[in-house]
Amino acid sequence: MLATVIRTRVSPVDSLSPAVLAPRPHAGGSLADFDQIGTVISVRRNEALFREGDPGRFWFRVLIGALRSSRLLPDGRRHISGFTLPGDFVGLEDIYRFTAEAVSNATLMRYSRQTIDGLVEQQPGLGRCLLKLVCGDLDTAQSQMLLLGRKNAAEKLASFLLTMADRNGKADRISLPMTRCDIADYLGLTTETVSRVFSQLRSEGVITLRASSEVGLKNRSALQALAAAA
Amino acid sequence: MLATVIRTRVSPVDSLSPAVLAPRPHAGGSLADFDQIGTVISVRRNEALFREGDPGRFWFRVLIGALRSSRLLPDGRRHISGFTLPGDFVGLEDIYRFTAEAVSNATLMRYSRQTIDGLVEQQPGLGRCLLKLVCGDLDTAQSQMLLLGRKNAAEKLASFLLTMADRNGKADRISLPMTRCDIADYLGLTTETVSRVFSQLRSEGVITLRASSEVGLKNRSALQALAAAA
DNA sequence: CGGGGCGTTGAAAAGCGTCAACCCTTGTGG
DNA sequence: CCACAAGGGTTGACGCTTTTCAACGCCCCG
């Protein structure tokens, strides 16, 4: 096991773009209050932020980089329930229900759960914000269940690429921080199948791949047709 | 489209067992306050309580019967994100994210969202209760994603049967209110595969089937071994 | 008595997984 | 500076699980 998975460093917070630090649109304004009470920390690629079953003493928000939230079956099969990207929160539970690891070197804000509970006690609007955040996560989870249970490999990858593009500022080129294996464990596929569908989409001219992690969306409507609903 | 999906009837609430009306163990005591402000309604099998995209004006709790929450792809493929059984809540969103229909004739408590918001405003503990409820739903959803993405048909059905038995009071015989098709759409399978796995488990002596909806758990540890983690 | 919904079973097909080989990049140590 | 190892990615061949398509039985209700 890793000895110390969380290491505190001096904050590079001044170099962050304001857009990243601003609350997410649907989160409501009050979340900005949290910026006062957080600590900036860093985690390195593949380090765990917390593990399934740990007491949930902190809440986190990604500033730079990306996290993955995963669960394991006893025989080692893994599923990734989500990726946490800049601006997103993770870890609002009494006891963590999954393991959170860094997909790439990442910089985070860490909020003490006690402090948050205190703030919520004072400002009831903040509680509504948290409730909305978790309801949004639930909505996302239900979309993902539809994907996992009812979409084929190409539809899964198309949905994934469109979602990543949207979260990445709706650009037509995305830089994927996670490996093919991470994507496979997120979509309920194997790395080989993910790789094959990437190749297939490229050969059809739907996407470009200048490097394996650099995806250009050449034909968005084709992707949307594949993704069907999302 | 159904003209009136919600019909109010005189309450048969006196006939309910106290266990059903009591708050769920992990929900905290304050939820009992809601019993004062609700209306008892009935829905008939296959009637919709609300539909994806409707404004979320009510919150519901099942007293008798069962509901299914489902989403559709444009071509008709369906996924059921969950079943709502006696004691469970459903519909805590600004805008409903899925369609809720009755799996069997059902009796529900209906709470106005406005009234709930007012109560939460007065009692901050209530907000924490709701947050915990939604976090629990998120936990369940993530387990289900692991199931959908990484378990095979037999493992899926074993997990499902054990979960249903637990929710049904941990008995060794369960009466399934939903059809094979509902189960299939919940587990990301087809009705044929569900039926085949039922037959296979019966032929292995793991379960009994006196009727297609009456399942006896003969060999719980075999089911648990199949379900692996859940 | 008849019809429709639901469930079961069989045979064939397809999609995805498994296994294996190979390439490329990166980083490490001699 | 180069050699080599390790991790990630791609591609091919093959096989298995699940889906698809079809037929049929059962039960309930009109």
Side-chain angles (χ1 to χ4, degrees):
Chain A
M1 190 191 290
L2 297 174
T4 308
V5 293
I6 300 172
R7 58 194 64 201
T8 311
R9 293 199 200 141
V10 177
S11 160
V13 74
D14 294 332
S15 65
L16 294 172
S17 77
V20 167
L21 285 169
R24 292 200 294 188
H26 62 280
S30 307
L31 288 175
D33 300 346
F34 287 142
D35 288 345
Q36 311 304 320
I37 62 164
T39 309
V40 174
I41 65 166
S42 286
V43 285
R44 289 211 301 243
R45 185 169 131 83
N46 290 329
E47 275 185 334
L49 199 58
F50 54 79
R51 293 180 181 280
E52 198 174 339
D54 288 354
R57 297 191 298 125
F58 299 106
W59 195 38
F60 300 90
R61 184 177 201 185
V62 172
L63 301 178
I64 300 172
L67 309 177
R68 60 171 173 258
S69 302
S70 63
R71 295 188 182 204
L72 290 176
L73 287 174
D75 63 2
R77 279 175 285 178
R78 185 179 70 156
H79 181 254
I80 292 178
S81 57
F83 296 105
T84 313
L85 301 183
D88 298 337
F89 296 90
V90 71
L92 189 69
E93 295 106 12
D94 296 341
I95 292 176
Y96 296 126
R97 308 295 186 175
F98 49 81
T99 297
E101 294 154 322
V103 160
S104 58
N105 292 343
T107 305
L108 318 170
M109 288 291 272
R110 187 185 67 188
Y111 313 97
S112 141
R113 199 185 156 72
Q114 279 190 327
T115 314
I116 287 176
D117 285 348
L119 267 186
V120 170
E121 207 69 29
Q122 294 164 25
Q123 301 172 249
L126 220 46
R128 262 202 308 274
C129 275
L130 297 187
L131 193 58
K132 263 195 180 175
L133 273 185
V134 181
C135 280
D137 287 351
L138 193 57
D139 179 29
T140 304
Q142 288 172 354
S143 296
Q144 189 70 1
M145 288 196 277
L146 176 60
L147 177 148
L148 290 166
R150 287 292 175 238
K151 291 187 183 178
N152 65 30
E155 292 167 342
K156 285 177 177 180
L157 193 61
S159 305
F160 171 71
L161 291 176
L162 287 173
T163 303
M164 288 302 291
D166 282 358
R167 294 173 72 181
N168 239 7
K170 300 183 184 293
D172 273 355
R173 43 180 46 267
I174 40 184
S175 181
L176 299 174
M178 69 291 287
T179 65
R180 295 288 189 263
C181 182
D182 285 338
I183 297 172
D185 285 345
Y186 179 62
L187 299 178
L189 299 170
T190 60
T191 58
E192 292 94 332
T193 299
V194 169
S195 185
R196 270 185 258 269
V197 176
F198 265 114
S199 300
Q200 177 198 327
L201 291 177
R202 185 189 47 187
S203 76
E204 291 167 357
V206 177
I207 61 171
T208 58
L209 287 170
R210 58 183 306 144
S212 63
S213 66
E214 299 298 318
V215 185
L217 308 190
K218 288 280 272 187
N219 186 345
R220 227 191 168 86
S221 57
L223 285 175
Q224 284 161 344
L226 271 175
Chain B
M1 190 191 288
L2 298 172
T4 308
V5 293
I6 299 173
R7 57 193 66 202
T8 310
R9 293 201 200 137
V10 177
S11 159
V13 75
D14 295 331
S15 64
L16 294 172
S17 76
V20 167
L21 285 169
R24 291 200 296 189
H26 62 283
S30 307
L31 288 175
D33 300 347
F34 287 142
D35 288 346
Q36 310 304 319
I37 61 163
T39 308
V40 175
I41 65 165
S42 288
V43 285
R44 289 212 300 243
R45 185 168 131 83
N46 289 330
E47 274 185 333
L49 199 58
F50 53 80
R51 292 179 182 279
E52 198 174 339
D54 288 353
R57 297 191 299 124
F58 299 107
W59 195 38
F60 299 91
R61 184 177 201 183
V62 172
L63 301 178
I64 299 172
L67 309 177
R68 62 171 173 258
S69 302
S70 64
R71 295 189 182 205
L72 291 176
L73 286 175
D75 63 2
R77 280 175 285 177
R78 184 179 71 156
H79 181 254
I80 292 179
S81 57
F83 296 105
T84 312
L85 301 184
D88 298 336
F89 295 89
V90 72
L92 189 70
E93 294 107 12
D94 296 341
I95 292 175
Y96 297 126
R97 309 294 185 175
F98 48 82
T99 296
E101 294 155 323
V103 159
S104 57
N105 291 343
T107 305
L108 317 170
M109 288 289 272
R110 188 184 68 187
Y111 312 98
S112 140
R113 197 185 157 72
Q114 279 189 327
T115 314
I116 287 177
D117 285 348
L119 268 186
V120 170
E121 208 70 28
Q122 293 164 26
Q123 302 173 249
L126 222 45
R128 262 202 306 276
C129 275
L130 297 187
L131 192 59
K132 263 194 180 177
L133 273 185
V134 181
C135 280
D137 287 351
L138 192 57
D139 179 29
T140 303
Q142 288 173 353
S143 296
Q144 190 70 1
M145 288 195 276
L146 176 60
L147 177 148
L148 291 166
R150 287 291 176 239
K151 290 186 183 178
N152 66 30
E155 292 166 343
K156 285 177 177 180
L157 193 61
S159 305
F160 172 71
L161 291 176
L162 287 173
T163 302
M164 288 302 291
D166 282 358
R167 294 173 72 181
N168 240 4
K170 300 182 185 293
D172 273 354
R173 42 180 49 267
I174 41 185
S175 181
L176 299 174
M178 68 290 288
T179 64
R180 295 287 189 263
C181 181
D182 285 338
I183 297 172
D185 284 346
Y186 179 62
L187 299 177
L189 298 170
T190 59
T191 57
E192 293 93 334
T193 300
V194 169
S195 184
R196 271 184 255 271
V197 176
F198 265 115
S199 301
Q200 177 197 328
L201 291 177
R202 184 189 46 186
S203 75
E204 291 168 358
V206 177
I207 62 171
T208 58
L209 285 172
R210 60 182 304 144
S212 63
S213 66
E214 299 299 318
V215 184
L217 308 191
K218 288 279 272 187
N219 187 344
R220 227 192 166 85
S221 57
L223 284 176
Q224 283 161 344
L226 271 176

